[in-house]
Amino acid sequence: MSVFLIKAAQLLLSLSILVVLHELGHFIPAKLFKTRVEKFYLFFDVKFSLFKKKIGDTVYGIGWLPLGGYVKISGMIDESMDTEQMALPPQPWEFRSKPAWQRLIIMLGGVTVNFILAFFLFIMMLFVWGTNYITKEDIKYGYGIAKTLETYGFQQGDKIISVNGKPFEELTIDINKYIMFRDVENIKVEHPDGTVADIQLPEDIGQKLFEAGDIPAMAPRYPFQLDSIVANSPADKAGLKTTDKIIAVNGQPIEYYSDLTYQIKNNTDKTLNVEVERNNEIKNLNITQGEDKTIGVVSTVTDPDYIKIQNRTYSFSESITGGISKGYWEVKDYLAQFQYIFTKKGASQIGGFAAIGNMFPAQWDWQAFWYLTAFLSIMLAVLNLLPIPALDGGHVMFLLYEMVSGRKPGDKFMEYAQMVGFFILIALVLFANGNDIFKAIFN
């Protein structure tokens, strides 16, 4: 329960920061252009508010439904669907009375602040904590390799020398992110026997890995032993004990944890033949895998030095250039994910609030908190730019149409578009959170 509360508290604080700053991005230019803002709310005040106070023309408040927030701008067709106000003659302080370029700036203000916040956080994180990196020698046992990568010449236990000619220690990021989201053509590796190989990868390597379910494609290897077995799991039902030592699976020797996961994942039959050592005797167990291909074993690391992480510090000026670069690649990597989301397999991976909450660590960690807040800020900005009515991107789309054509969409059209967009958003929220519920029940 305490883990749930810690994750929930981090999620709530992060979203509160993001929502308030996003809405400020709309509020500030609206006030600069002398546009009346009737409400500024953190969370939604359906039927009632937890807190509200009117200052000037604006009611500031906190709603009880933590699904976002909003600013209600006079003379604007938005989620409030205030058709009565729109039926009255336009007033000079209303949104609809302002020039199109001013309305465009007001609508882009929220996502602009989200992007600025993300870049600012990356700069400050580099200045305060620096960045972690590893060298080839820091991966003691090399990498466990997914089956898809083996077809291109990778071997179990490979160590990475360079990617696209860039030394491995300069990447400072997860190699899997590099392969999945960036244009990787060549990876130079050192095989376990000491030979060096230049491996060429196709442009669609990310798609191939995603479709095969080979994510992550690489993971540092480590010798392991059983730590625990999940109750009522396939391993538990087959009689596997935590004191057992797994020697082989389907006749293949098991030395590292990645050897075990490789055999489990690539098993073509529903049954695994697991050879174990128990009380100095060899026993064979047949474990029937579940639909998710897991068997319910939890490992423990027997050599904590299997990976060594080094830290690089930054001066303030270096953190500015480094933070901007990191922000650029985080945005680019996030956009690259959409090629996987818009597939049948990708749709099932979409998650809601539970999935987002689980991204946060089980113990409060400010470095992780601020990184995830920066990442969520990018996510919020990108999603808000989607050309869906009811989102900022939908308003921007109609404003650009108006600026190009010289014709303003009618109020009735905007009302219907807003309703359609609202139902699309509700459907997406239900679908994403439905995926969370499905995974919680059946996984």
Side-chain angles (χ1 to χ4, degrees), residues 181-394:
F181 304 136
R182 307 190 185 181
D183 298 324
V184 176
E185 298 175 353
N186 172 274
I187 298 182
K188 181 178 287 188
V189 300
E190 179 184 301
H191 291 319
D193 63 3
T195 60
V196 174
D198 280 305
I199 297 176
Q200 306 298 318
L201 294 175
E203 290 184 4
D204 62 344
I205 183 60
Q207 197 67 46
K208 290 180 184 295
L209 289 165
F210 181 76
E211 291 298 329
D214 281 342
I215 302 172
M218 295 184 183
R221 299 198 302 177
Y222 59 87
F224 83 106
Q225 65 185 27
L226 290 176
D227 177 75
S228 58
I229 297 170
V230 178
N232 297 317
S233 65
D236 185 32
K237 293 176 181 178
L240 188 67
K241 300 180 182 298
T242 55
T243 53
D244 289 340
K245 179 181 179 181
I246 298 178
I247 298 174
V249 174
N250 289 346
Q252 297 299 315
I254 302 297
E255 183 178 358
Y256 304 100
Y257 182 64
S258 60
D259 296 336
L260 176 63
T261 56
Y262 181 95
Q263 293 302 323
I264 292 173
K265 175 173 174 45
N266 296 294
N267 182 41
T268 56
D269 193 3
K270 284 189 176 182
T271 302
L272 287 167
N273 181 262
V274 180
E275 186 178 326
V276 302
E277 181 182 324
R278 180 185 298 173
N279 298 326
N280 297 320
E281 294 182 5
I282 302 300
K283 291 185 175 293
N284 284 281
L285 302 175
N286 290 320
I287 300 178
T288 302
Q289 293 176 265
E291 290 297 324
D292 58 359
K293 282 219 160 190
T294 60
I295 62 173
V297 298
V298 179
S299 71
T300 185
V301 179
T302 58
D303 183 357
D305 293 326
Y306 76 98
I307 182 172
K308 292 181 180 178
I309 298 176
Q310 303 188 53
N311 183 265
R312 179 181 295 128
T313 58
Y314 289 74
S315 67
F316 187 69
S317 59
E318 289 172 334
S319 68
I320 292 175
T321 55
I324 292 172
S325 176
K326 182 171 178 58
Y328 166 80
W329 283 110
E330 288 284 349
V331 173
K332 195 171 187 299
D333 290 343
Y334 182 71
L335 292 174
Q337 294 182 42
F338 282 85
Q339 65 182 300
Y340 307 118
I341 292 174
F342 295 117
T343 63
K344 182 178 179 180
K345 184 180 179 67
S348 66
Q349 305 300 314
I350 296 174
F353 289 105
I356 296 173
N358 279 325
M359 293 167 61
F360 289 90
Q363 294 182 331
W364 200 287
D365 182 329
W366 281 112
Q367 185 176 2
F369 173 83
W370 288 120
Y371 169 75
L372 287 168
T373 299
F375 174 76
L376 291 176
S377 193
I378 290 172
M379 187 173 76
L380 181 62
V382 171
L383 294 180
N384 258 289
L385 280 175
L386 293 177
I388 299 174
L391 289 178
D392 295 346

Side-chain angles (χ1 to χ4, degrees), residues 42-185:
L42 170 64
F43 306 149
F44 291 106
D45 56 326
V46 182
K47 300 297 182 182
F48 69 92
S49 304
L50 297 178
F51 163 83
K52 65 178 179 180
K53 182 177 178 61
K54 187 170 184 179
I55 303 175
D57 295 322
T58 307
V59 175
Y60 300 87
I62 301 175
W64 63 271
L65 188 61
L67 296 178
Y70 69 97
V71 288
K72 186 180 185 307
I73 301 175
S74 294
M76 176 181 173
I77 299 174
D78 57 12
E79 58 268 20
S80 68
M81 298 302 291
D82 189 354
T83 55
E84 291 184 9
Q85 183 185 73
M86 299 302 294
L88 299 173
Q91 301 298 319
W93 62 79
E94 290 185 335
F95 181 81
R96 54 180 165 167
S97 300
K98 303 300 177 182
W101 68 269
Q102 291 186 3
R103 285 180 277 137
L104 182 63
I105 291 174
I106 292 171
M107 294 316 305
L108 286 173
V111 298
T112 301
V113 168
N114 283 131
F115 281 124
I116 292 173
L117 173 64
F119 280 74
F120 172 76
L121 288 177
F122 287 134
I123 290 170
M124 294 310 298
M125 287 175 64
L126 286 183
F127 181 63
V128 174
W129 289 292
T131 188
N132 293 331
Y133 71 97
I134 52 178
T135 66
K136 175 173 69 71
E137 289 73 23
D138 294 327
I139 307 292
K140 186 174 181 179
Y141 302 102
Y143 280 95
I145 305 297
K147 188 173 183 178
T148 301
L149 290 184
E150 286 184 317
T151 61
Y152 297 100
F154 285 95
Q155 296 178 13
Q156 301 298 328
D158 278 349
K159 294 184 177 182
I160 300 172
I161 299 173
S162 64
V163 177
N164 287 349
K166 191 173 184 179
F168 179 56
E169 55 266 28
E170 292 184 17
L171 301 183
T172 68
I173 63 167
D174 181 2
I175 183 63
N176 292 289
K177 182 184 286 189
Y178 218 91
I179 295 173
M180 292 296 297
F181 304 136
R182 307 190 185 181
D183 298 324
V184 176
E185 298 175 353

